[in-house]
Amino acid sequence: MSDDLLLERAERVEGAGVLRIGVIGVGNISAQYFEHLPALPNLQLVAVADMNEERAREVAAEQGVRALTVDELLADADVDAVLNLTIPAAHAAIGIRAIESGKHVYGEKPLALNPAEAEPLLALAAERGLRVGSAPDTVLGTGIQTARKALDDGAIGRPIAAAIHWSAPGHELWHPAPAFYYQPGGGPLFDMGPYYLSSIVTLFGPIARVSGLATTSPRERSVATGPLAGTAIPVDVATHVSALLEHENGLTTTITVSFDVWKSRAPLFEVFGTEGTMAVPDPNRFEGDVEIAPAATREWETIPVSAGWADSGRGFGLADMARAIETDRPHRAGGELAFHVLEVMDGILRAAESHTVIDIASTVDRPAPVPLASTPASW
């Protein structure tokens, strides 16, 4: 890391509203956060930790910060918030430990393995006056936010329904350590579902009830790349899931997510309205074209970018949480939204198992919209 960047980070600590961040878990996804943290002026990376302490030391040297054990990081008075990038099975436990240590926590998705595991985390945070945030924050970029503004402005009339299809052959084809994707907290629903479910709640509001079908492919899977290549992967999750969701406002969404499709023209994310159809960009990305086919022409046209943080990336949700703490307002990628999405995913699997319709007990307000901005200076 350059001396200029180290000086810039030191200057930020002296300013108001800077949240000092300790990262727990420096696996594959962490690189995307480290890429964007230097551009976020209200975040200060101060330490990293990982079960693999050698890996933590390597990353700490790259980032110009301290390498600590997990226990040391949680006890460190210089860490204001924990960025929890552990595997899903550890999300709730690390989150609770962070809250018990007096620190805010922002984690990768899903919030926990199930609602029962997540409830104590949110309850403890509320009791201690601390914040819980959760990925995905892709919904804060120009793609989903432009779609939201266009829908709110009536670009396709009144929305009636949405259709979603995402599929892939399986993450074992590219990820060097993909076993956790096939354990509880993984699978296509818990891995990719949060992007789409967080988006449709952002677009249309909370979900009232769900039904679903789920199957587990008999295909044998093994790691394709890296030092573990050839290692067999046990599969303990559904690998192909379809669901029908009814929103509180009456709009319906159909969604299919799969690790069993070798080739498809998907992903598909479309919204059908009384005056046209909207094609929504991939919510696993922060940007992308929003297209509308008006009823009058039924021809696709790309609409101008009109909302969202431009040039954003992973970490923007954490920066928004830091700004919300400073200004005493709700943050957008919040624990309540993540909990609602978690309950919906859990409900889909329970509906598939019981062949029933499952009512969703939780509800959540639509997060505040993001105005079009090229930098986070106005946060």
Side-chain angles (χ1 to χ4, degrees):
M1 178 172 292
S2 70
D3 291 341
D4 288 344
L5 186 52
L6 288 171
L7 177 61
E8 179 187 347
R9 284 186 170 176
E11 289 172 346
R12 285 185 205 166
V13 173
E14 298 174 2
V18 174
L19 202 65
R20 297 170 298 179
I21 306 300
V23 175
I24 298 180
V26 291
N28 205 58
I29 193 64
S30 66
Q32 296 186 42
Y33 283 90
F34 294 137
E35 177 184 353
H36 293 283
L37 286 176
L40 297 167
N42 60 348
L43 300 181
Q44 174 77 15
L45 180 65
V46 297
V48 299
D50 194 277
M51 289 179 60
N52 183 336
E53 294 184 12
E54 180 180 353
R55 171 64 178 158
R57 287 191 292 271
E58 292 174 357
V59 171
E62 293 170 0
Q63 298 300 318
V65 298
R66 292 175 295 144
L68 304 174
T69 67
V70 172
D71 288 345
E72 288 170 343
L73 190 147
L74 290 171
D76 197 302
D78 288 333
V79 174
D80 301 316
V82 169
L83 176 55
N84 181 6
L85 305 183
T86 58
I87 63 172
H91 285 178
I94 291 295
I96 288 173
R97 289 187 64 192
I99 296 296
E100 288 175 338
S101 300
K103 306 182 190 308
H104 307 287
V105 62
Y106 183 97
E108 256 301 319
K109 45 76 184 171
L111 181 63
L113 296 183
N114 53 60
E117 192 179 68
E119 284 173 346
L121 168 62
L122 295 182
L124 183 62
E127 177 186 320
R128 301 286 178 90
L130 295 168
R131 300 288 185 116
V132 175
S134 177
D137 52 4
T138 49
V139 296
L140 307 179
T142 54
I144 297 301
Q145 290 296 319
T146 293
R148 172 176 176 164
K149 187 175 189 307
L151 289 170
D152 289 350
D153 289 346
I156 60 169
R158 178 178 175 179
I160 302 300
I164 291 166
H165 181 101
W166 179 91
S167 61
H171 291 347
E172 69 273 17
L173 297 185
W174 60 269
H175 198 288
F180 71 93
Y181 285 117
Y182 295 93
Q183 297 301 309
L189 181 60
F190 275 64
D191 179 52
M192 296 305 298
Y195 297 109
Y196 290 93
L197 295 171
S198 297
S199 295
I200 61 173
V201 173
T202 294
L203 297 178
F204 312 126
I207 295 161
R209 56 193 57 84
V210 304
S211 58
L213 296 170
T215 187
T216 301
S217 167
R219 173 156 61 99
E220 294 182 359
R221 299 179 189 260
S222 61
V223 183
T225 62
L228 299 177
T231 304
I233 302 173
V235 178
D236 294 322
V237 294
T239 56
H240 187 98
V241 180
S242 295
L244 179 61
L245 318 174
E246 181 183 353
H247 293 258
E248 290 183 5
N249 63 6
L251 186 143
T252 59
T253 295
T254 55
I255 179 170
T256 293
V257 287
S258 181
F259 280 171
D260 289 321
V261 179
W262 288 105
K263 189 70 173 178
S264 173
R265 291 182 174 87
L268 171 74
F269 189 169
E270 293 182 337
V271 182
F272 313 119
T274 56
E275 300 297 331
T277 297
M278 173 182 287
V280 181
D282 182 357
N284 189 20
R285 314 242 178 249
F286 288 83
E287 69 292 317
D289 290 338
V290 178
E291 297 178 282
I292 290 178
T297 65
R298 283 179 282 178
E299 297 290 340
W300 290 111
E301 56 188 60
T302 301
I303 65 173
V305 171
S306 60
W309 287 312
D311 301 319
S312 48
R314 282 174 171 81
F316 271 60
L318 176 56
D320 179 63
M321 188 176 85
R323 179 62 174 157
I325 293 169
E326 183 185 9
T327 58
D328 193 27
R329 64 161 173 81
H331 54 289
R332 293 175 173 90
E336 292 77 12
L337 173 59
F339 182 87
H340 184 66
V341 167
L342 177 64
E343 189 187 356
V344 168
M345 295 190 296
D346 182 73
I348 290 169
L349 294 181
R350 290 193 292 120
E353 183 177 0
S354 62
H355 301 288
T356 60
V357 174
I358 299 294
D359 290 328
I360 303 302
S362 65
T363 189
V364 66
D365 293 332
R366 293 172 76 197
V370 179
L372 182 61
S374 58
T375 70
S378 61
W379 292 2

